[in-house]
Amino acid sequence: MELGYEIQIEQKQQLTQGQIQSLEILAMDGMELNEFLQNEYLENPLLDVSGTHVVGSGQEEIHKTYEQTLTYGRNYEEMIEEEDRRRRDIPMQDQNQVRNFLLDQLPRKKFSDDQWMLLEYMVDCLDDTGFFTIPIQEVAENMHRSQKEVRSALELLQGLEPYGIFAADLKHCLLKQLEVQKMQGSVLWKVIDEHLQNVADGKISSISRSLKIPTAEVRKCIEQIARLNPHPMSEFCAGKADFIVPDIMFHEENGKWEVELNDGWVEDYHINDYYLRMMKESKDEELTKYFRIKLERVRFVMNSIAQRRQTVAAVAEAVMHRQQAYLEGRSCLKPMTMSDVAGEIGVHTSTVSRAIRGKYIQFPGGTMAMKNMFSASVATSGGMEHVGSMQVKEMIRELIRGEDRRKPYSDQAIVNILKQKQIDISRRGVAKYRDELGIRGSFARKAAE
């Protein structure tokens, strides 16, 4: 065997720290963005705020001061790394309570900058319940890392508290909590691993026969399951206020629907003329350097906010056009996924996910979470058009509302009825929609009589 050296040249693009924070700004709702800008105002003398500022003057001053401007691509994924050395001297703002809590459990010094960026990115990919549902391949493509690296990072994150966070679904979330308690292979483990759906349906006898254990033990397991945490992110929401400030407003004028972003106050932030003039006139190199760094920070923040407005507005426009009949009260929500919108406006699905996170839409019919505008389609037979999950939920609600209380429909019975209506849905799907409607299983409904 001959040993030798070989030089390989490989191009590899990775998100910079500035790009990561720009994605964070995209994911902020209006109140978080307001708090972020207030913190920037307190720490950066080049940023000023007033109620009478005219939009544009701050940006014009920036471009007069700098001959070279930052270039951003149309999408966040295409942002070009530029002047990164200077940005690394600028501290990141801690805006995400969840991120801080999770990452503080990890020894920062043991990770390279690239590894830490990947961990931060994956924390930002958590959904509202604390589950990690984005495919490994998609994360690997976005971060230009191998799938093996992403899997290793995911395994590390799944070991953090609260236990069950970063699980793929409810079953794995609950099993992780049992794993921490050294209960692998226990009866409770088997009930969750093999019969979680039967637990939801109240099929105690089925579980008892399958596992060959008394029904009393099954009931005891169900009580133990109820004490586990099905939503790892719930504790982070405990202190949040329950009032809603809409981020996007849909309104109709002269038969045409319009989108308005509820962030007009951003226009009050601008460059501080006094310090800008001081920077230009100063003969002190250290002072000038300090002001230039602060000016670059303002410039980065404003560009990121402008990109955020463009992306959120584009997503909102696409949603509005696709769901116009619903906004007008003429029909239920149409099937629409984040991938559909991403393809329409030319961004990645994860960008749409960040753009709608935590944001609310106000329209003449009320106010609702933007994420609730999205729903997957349910396959139909007989040449019918695909129907949305919201329509299927309403069908399930009506079926249960009209059932014989002495003999309520099982989930399988509902599957059979819907099949007669040419709607193909699994028993698991029915159970999921029923649970989202807050309707108990047939066993519990009968027992309540």
Side-chain angles (χ1 to χ4, degrees), residues 86-349:
R86 187 180 304 176
R87 287 194 190 145
R88 276 197 287 264
D89 294 333
I90 303 171
M92 293 275 290
Q93 295 293 326
D94 292 331
Q95 292 297 314
N96 195 319
Q97 178 192 7
V98 177
R99 169 192 274 200
N100 295 338
F101 180 82
L102 294 173
L103 295 182
D104 282 349
Q105 299 176 51
L106 299 174
R108 175 64 179 90
K109 293 181 180 179
K110 291 187 177 181
F111 300 94
S112 67
D113 289 342
D114 290 342
Q115 291 172 328
W116 195 253
M117 283 185 188
L118 176 61
L119 293 171
E120 289 179 327
Y121 181 87
M122 293 176 72
V123 170
D124 290 340
C125 288
L126 286 173
D127 65 17
D128 293 340
T129 58
F131 296 159
F132 188 85
T133 57
I134 295 181
I136 296 291
Q137 181 180 356
E138 182 175 320
V139 176
E141 290 175 355
N142 286 351
M143 297 299 290
H144 305 281
R145 309 297 289 272
S146 69
Q147 294 188 34
K148 182 179 179 181
E149 289 176 290
V150 177
R151 286 194 188 93
S152 297
L154 181 57
E155 290 176 4
L156 178 66
L157 292 169
Q158 286 173 339
L160 302 180
E161 297 181 19
Y163 297 119
I165 202 161
F166 282 97
D169 51 37
L170 176 61
K171 182 178 80 171
H172 291 91
C173 172
L174 300 179
L175 290 178
K176 181 63 180 181
Q177 294 172 53
L178 295 189
E179 180 186 326
V180 173
Q181 300 176 45
K182 309 295 184 185
M183 296 180 66
Q184 297 96 318
S186 64
V187 173
L188 179 58
W189 179 282
K190 292 178 180 177
V191 170
I192 294 175
D193 189 33
E194 303 172 19
H195 297 282
L196 191 57
Q197 187 57 56
N198 285 336
V199 171
D201 293 341
K203 295 183 176 179
I204 295 177
S205 298
S206 297
I207 302 172
S208 175
R209 288 193 299 270
S210 176
L211 297 180
K212 297 180 174 56
I213 59 175
T215 56
E217 189 168 356
V218 176
R219 294 182 185 277
K220 181 180 178 181
C221 287
I222 292 175
E223 290 178 3
Q224 291 176 292
I225 292 172
R227 290 197 288 269
L228 297 175
N229 182 8
H231 304 295
M233 293 274 263
S234 59
E235 62 185 74
F236 296 105
C237 303
K240 287 189 175 181
D242 56 0
F243 57 85
I244 294 173
V245 177
D247 302 271
I248 302 151
M249 292 177 283
F250 292 160
H251 52 86
E252 185 181 11
E253 291 185 6
N254 301 323
K256 183 179 179 181
W257 282 87
E258 302 286 345
V259 172
E260 180 183 350
L261 300 184
N262 186 24
D263 62 354
W265 45 267
V266 173
E267 300 172 359
D268 293 341
Y269 287 90
H270 56 281
I271 300 297
N272 186 301
D273 294 332
Y274 174 78
Y275 288 112
L276 185 64
R277 187 165 56 252
M278 182 185 294
M279 182 190 76
K280 292 177 180 179
E281 298 173 353
S282 175
K283 305 300 183 182
D284 187 325
E285 291 185 6
E286 288 296 321
L287 182 61
T288 300
K289 180 181 178 182
Y290 168 80
F291 279 135
R292 283 188 178 275
I293 291 175
K294 293 299 183 181
L295 180 59
E296 174 64 20
R297 175 65 179 179
V298 175
R299 186 160 163 262
F300 164 75
V301 169
M302 292 304 181
N303 274 326
S304 297
I305 291 175
Q307 186 71 28
R308 173 189 181 275
R309 295 191 89 256
Q310 177 184 341
T311 304
V312 172
V315 171
E317 286 274 1
V319 170
M320 183 185 67
H321 290 310
R322 286 173 174 264
Q323 304 293 3
Q324 185 170 329
Y326 171 77
L327 297 174
E328 294 173 349
R330 294 187 285 108
S331 74
C332 294
L333 287 170
K334 293 181 179 179
M336 178 183 68
T337 65
M338 286 186 281
S339 296
D340 294 334
V341 173
E344 180 177 333
I345 65 176
V347 300
H348 208 282
T349 305

Side-chain angles (χ1 to χ4, degrees), residues 378-387 395 418 420-423:
V378 177
T380 60
S381 56
M384 290 178 59
E385 292 184 1
H386 282 207
V387 297
M395 293 180 184
L418 292 176
Q420 294 173 4
K421 299 176 182 290
Q422 299 182 326
I423 296 175

